[in-house]
Amino acid sequence: MRRSPAFETFRYAAIALALALTLLPILWMVSMAFKPIPEWSATGADLTWIPRAPTLDNFRFVFGESTSDLIVALERTAWRPILSSLLSAVFGTLIAMVCGTAAAYGLSRFGSGKNLPLALIQLRLFPPMAVMIPVMIMWAFLGLIDTWWGLALIYGIVTLPFAFWLMKTFFDEMPREIEEAALVEGCSRFRVFMKITLPVMRAPLASSALLVFILNWSDYLIALLLTTKNWVTIPVYMASLSSSMTGQLYGAKAALGLLAAIPPVILGIAIQKHLVRGLTFGALKQ
Amino acid sequence: MTTIRLENLVKRFGDFTALKTMDLEIRDGEFMALLGPSGCGKSTTMNMIAGMEEPSGGRILFDGRDMNGVPMGKRGVGFVFQNYAIFTHMTVRQNLAYGPKMRGMSRSEIDRRVKNIADFLQLTPMLDQKSAKLSVNILQRLAIGRSAIVEPAIFLLDEPLSNVDAAFRAVMRTELKHLQKQFKQTMVYVTHDQLEAMTMADRIAVMDHGVLQQVGTPLEVYNNPANIFVAKFIGSPGMNLIAGELAETDRGLAVDLGPWGLSPPLPDDLANAARAAGSRAVQYGFRPEEATLASEGQGLRARVTFVERIGARTIVHAESGQPVKIVTENDVGFAVGDAVTIVPAPGAVRLFDAASTAAIRGA
């Protein structure tokens, strides 16, 4: 289709604007991460787009090395929050995927009606804030405050509906004949699930797990409410990077933000490949 | 090597009755085709034989043993699915070896069987390929091989050829028949393609709307359809049927076909059966292949509406209120609009009761 030059111009202008809006903060963060203190500090009179004297000091700083410019010392380094984020996000994803997949399979194959599947999603009907106060009380009662496992548990619960609905859709679309073919050969139901269904569903499983992982990894609110000191996650830790002397430590925040953005970006690209490819069941040609 | 008996088999899905009632005996080593249009209950019947669905009523007996409650894995059936249901995460070899492995066969026995079946179905070159990337024709053979490898006593095939191209379908028809001759299983074959049923089956069970219409050898079903449905469904094109009334003439019983004129007198046995049946309103039937066209003389009067060339033969469409089709040689001397006289071959005429649709048969 041939479009008019005016339309093409408008189209590219719109795309450029959208990209500027979305990419500018990222560019700013990347640039900031490599700037020495005078270039990012609130007192600095010379803010620049591109670092004039690029440095890795901000990265060294968050990992606890002393740096020449920044005289403040950190109470805690970024190692522990990174560990906390990894543990809570990975185990939260595991909980959500194992329970969600099992529930989705059961309801897809043996369930009837829509009420049960819909009931599982009602956790998402409210903003997380609405349920967080009771959750805080429960977690305090169970001694789960400020633990990575407490965080992993709530992450698993919060993202379970996502895992469930994604997997249920995939299971619904999977041709049952593949399972029946194995059942006819005398395979047990459970073995069919483990040896046939799950391997056939590798791609959907991977993409759902990655999506859930990114949700958990990006959480700020829940971690802010349920952790205090030992097991704060990257986003919570990042927010705490400030001092009375220097104010907000923008350079350190940017460096940490850049590091924290790496897993979701990589995983996001991986998901995209799976999602674009979609569900290609080679056996099903109709 | 098993006899399958279906007794008063019924299947309901909620309010919908997929199978009203079905009595059928499939003999040991027989190739039985379940033939019918989509939604006739043939696949439901098959799924119940395999154990994928529980009957709502009635019994399924294998060699006299009631299969009710026996899980599908314990019935000893092989099943080939319409969409093949290949385990796409496995290689061709792993797919073939799956059944023997589940039955705990030894490594050497599995290898021997895989080699044999792969040779037989020409799968040897792709044994170690991932099955997800194979062509439909190969997936098809693999699906058959995966079921055949354990030599099940009962082999069930659910429209296995409906997704492959015409040329390959012709090849597979021969191979399936060959396969069955070699292993001598009892074979049940679901299809909506009468050509598949006619060419392969020992007997055909024609079904419609959840009711078994007729069971018989391909020629029985073709020559002596039990009712109007079978008459129209079997044959390509199906049997010509013209509504008429029985009429006594001085040359014997004939059928008054309205605008077509009076039919030639019926053969004695058919006439006697028609008189005995008592009904006057009938459908007068004859196969498109079993009538000749003339420009004049005694026969059914009609006008040519269309001349359809299909290659080896020509189908002449003619009409006199109702349409009929006549299959003739290619050098047909009629054009659209010509008056034509249709003469059904002696012995080709079939009568059906207009009310009950059942065939009226001579002795």
Side-chain angles (χ1 to χ4, degrees):
Chain A
M1 196 171 103
R2 200 86 194 108
R3 294 198 181 95
S4 73
F7 179 83
E8 285 293 288
T9 312
F10 172 76
R11 201 162 74 99
Y12 280 107
I15 292 170
L17 184 67
L19 285 179
L21 283 173
T22 51
L23 293 182
L24 199 61
I26 294 170
L27 174 70
W28 192 240
M29 178 181 76
V30 174
S31 159
M32 188 90 90
F34 295 100
K35 281 177 182 175
I37 187 168
E39 291 185 48
W40 58 255
S41 78
T43 54
D46 43 8
L47 281 173
T48 54
W49 281 103
I50 308 295
R52 260 173 295 179
T55 170
L56 291 175
D57 276 359
N58 292 321
F59 294 93
R60 294 200 188 97
F61 176 72
V62 292
F63 289 111
E65 288 181 37
S66 59
T67 53
S68 50
D69 292 334
L70 215 52
I71 38 145
V72 289
L74 277 174
E75 196 183 332
R76 284 165 291 147
T77 65
W79 287 116
R80 190 68 180 251
I82 289 175
L83 181 68
S84 174
S85 270
L86 274 175
L87 283 174
S88 56
V90 166
F91 280 89
T93 305
L94 269 178
I95 292 171
M97 286 309 296
V98 169
C99 300
T101 303
Y105 186 72
L107 283 174
S108 174
R109 291 291 182 272
F110 309 105
S112 60
K114 283 197 172 141
N115 292 339
L116 213 48
L118 283 176
L120 262 165
I121 211 169
Q122 69 177 352
L123 197 61
R124 305 298 311 180
L125 289 178
F126 311 100
M129 203 52 208
V131 292
M132 277 321 290
I133 302 301
V135 166
M136 276 173 75
I137 297 169
M138 281 191 277
W139 258 235
F141 185 74
L142 294 168
L144 294 174
I145 298 283
D146 204 19
T147 59
W148 67 263
W149 52 93
L151 213 47
L153 182 60
I154 190 69
Y155 283 165
I157 292 170
V158 168
T159 49
L160 175 70
F162 279 110
F164 169 78
W165 273 93
L166 284 169
M167 289 315 297
K168 182 166 184 307
T169 315
F170 289 133
F171 282 134
D172 286 347
E173 283 171 13
M174 177 183 164
R176 313 238 168 140
E177 288 87 349
I178 294 184
E179 294 177 352
E180 284 166 347
L183 286 171
V184 153
E185 300 296 341
C187 203
S188 72
R189 258 280 166 199
F190 183 71
R191 203 162 157 190
V192 168
F193 179 68
M194 298 304 287
K195 296 278 176 184
I196 304 290
T197 312
L198 289 185
V200 167
M201 301 290 279
R202 267 176 321 204
L205 272 171
S207 56
S208 306
L210 295 181
L211 198 67
V212 167
F213 175 82
I214 289 174
L215 283 173
N216 290 338
W217 180 261
S218 325
D219 167 72
Y220 172 66
L221 185 69
I222 296 173
L224 180 69
L225 293 171
L226 293 184
T227 57
T228 52
K229 187 161 173 268
N230 287 326
W231 291 102
V232 295
T233 57
I234 294 173
V236 180
Y237 174 76
M238 199 191 293
S240 73
L241 286 174
S242 62
S243 77
S244 54
M245 268 180 69
T246 56
Q248 297 288 332
L249 295 166
Y250 289 118
K253 287 184 189 214
L256 192 57
L258 188 59
L259 291 177
I262 290 170
V265 168
I266 292 173
L267 298 181
I269 291 167
I271 280 191
Q272 197 191 19
K273 202 184 94 196
H274 277 303
L275 290 185
V276 169
R277 205 180 65 179
L279 272 177
T280 49
F281 291 113
L284 189 70
K285 301 203 175 158
Q286 286 183 335
Chain B
M1 280 121 271
T2 307
T3 311
I4 306 171
R5 243 185 110 81
L6 311 180
E7 290 181 356
N8 300 317
L9 203 59
V10 179
K11 181 64 186 177
R12 284 180 290 267
F13 296 101
D15 290 339
F16 174 69
T17 306
L19 191 67
K20 290 201 180 82
T21 178
M22 177 102 168
D23 286 278
L24 183 64
E25 177 160 326
I26 302 164
R27 296 169 199 144
D28 180 21
E30 186 174 38
F31 195 134
M32 171 71 82
L34 301 182
L35 176 67
S38 51
C40 71
K42 57 191 190 295
S43 287
T44 307
T45 306
M46 176 89 113
N47 289 346
M48 285 192 286
I49 295 174
M52 270 173 244
E53 314 250 15
E54 282 295 311
S56 311
R59 297 200 299 168
I60 297 167
L61 305 165
F62 288 2
D63 279 340
R65 267 185 310 130
D66 193 342
M67 283 293 125
N68 199 8
V70 177
M72 52 205 266
K74 300 250 185 277
R75 293 194 180 194
V77 300
F79 201 114
V80 177
F81 295 86
Q82 187 175 5
N83 61 15
Y84 316 142
I86 297 301
F87 305 137
T88 45
H89 58 296
M90 297 180 182
T91 62
V92 171
R93 185 190 300 279
Q94 287 168 328
N95 265 284
L96 289 175
Y98 193 81
K101 224 161 99 187
M102 288 308 300
R103 283 162 181 75
M105 290 181 194
S106 70
R107 192 70 244 171
S108 57
E109 173 70 6
I110 293 176
D111 286 345
R112 190 186 65 80
R113 288 191 180 220
V114 168
K115 191 187 171 306
N116 282 350
I117 203 85
D119 281 348
F120 183 78
L121 291 167
Q122 293 140 45
L123 290 167
T124 313
M126 52 289 267
L127 265 180
D128 292 305
Q129 286 180 31
K130 276 270 180 205
S131 52
K133 302 233 156 71
L134 299 170
S135 75
V136 179
N137 291 358
I138 294 172
L139 287 177
Q140 217 302 312
R141 291 209 299 268
L142 175 54
I144 290 172
R146 190 183 60 186
S147 297
I149 193 165
V150 293
E151 293 168 18
I154 296 173
F155 207 30
L156 307 173
L157 298 101
D158 188 0
E159 310 220 11
L161 303 183
S162 62
N163 292 337
V164 299
D165 55 73
F168 185 68
R169 205 175 300 168
V171 174
M172 280 316 290
R173 281 203 300 268
T174 326
E175 283 196 14
L176 275 173
K177 191 71 197 163
H178 186 55
L179 184 88
Q180 195 237 357
K181 285 243 166 67
Q182 180 165 341
F183 293 108
K184 299 185 180 62
Q185 313 100 325
T186 307
M187 211 142 167
V188 186
Y189 189 101
V190 163
T191 181
H192 63 265
D193 182 343
Q194 52 169 303
L195 187 62
E196 286 176 15
M198 299 292 275
T199 50
M200 288 189 284
D202 297 321
R203 285 195 303 157
I204 300 176
V206 186
M207 299 179 68
D208 184 43
H209 284 101
V211 178
L212 182 62
Q213 305 287 328
Q214 186 175 6
V215 187
T217 65
L219 278 183
E220 274 167 22
V221 172
Y222 178 82
N223 286 332
N224 293 307
N227 56 37
I228 289 177
F229 172 81
V230 179
K232 281 182 162 169
F233 189 74
I234 302 286
S236 176
M239 186 179 274
N240 292 311
L241 290 164
I242 304 169
E245 282 195 358
L246 292 176
E248 291 287 356
T249 67
D250 46 4
R251 288 167 55 225
L253 190 66
V255 183
D256 180 0
L257 297 171
W260 301 83
L262 200 63
S263 78
L266 299 172
D268 285 346
D269 56 342
L270 190 56
N272 290 337
R275 285 194 192 97
S279 51
R280 286 180 52 81
V282 294
Q283 293 273 343
Y284 179 86
F286 57 94
R287 290 272 168 209
E289 303 85 353
E290 295 181 311
T292 49
L293 295 172
S295 47
E296 54 193 10
Q298 226 190 16
L300 315 178
R301 292 186 303 275
R303 199 160 285 280
V304 176
T305 55
F306 184 55
V307 178
E308 186 181 9
R309 308 260 177 205
I310 55 168
R313 311 281 278 169
T314 294
I315 302 174
V316 175
H317 298 234
E319 198 182 285
S320 212
Q322 287 165 280
V324 298
K325 293 175 184 174
I326 308 298
V327 176
T328 68
E329 301 299 328
N330 279 336
D331 58 351
V332 57
F334 295 96
V336 173
D338 288 354
V340 69
T341 300
I342 300 163
V343 187
V349 171
R350 301 286 176 268
L351 284 188
F352 300 91
D353 187 307
S356 72
T357 81
I360 298 168
R361 284 184 191 166

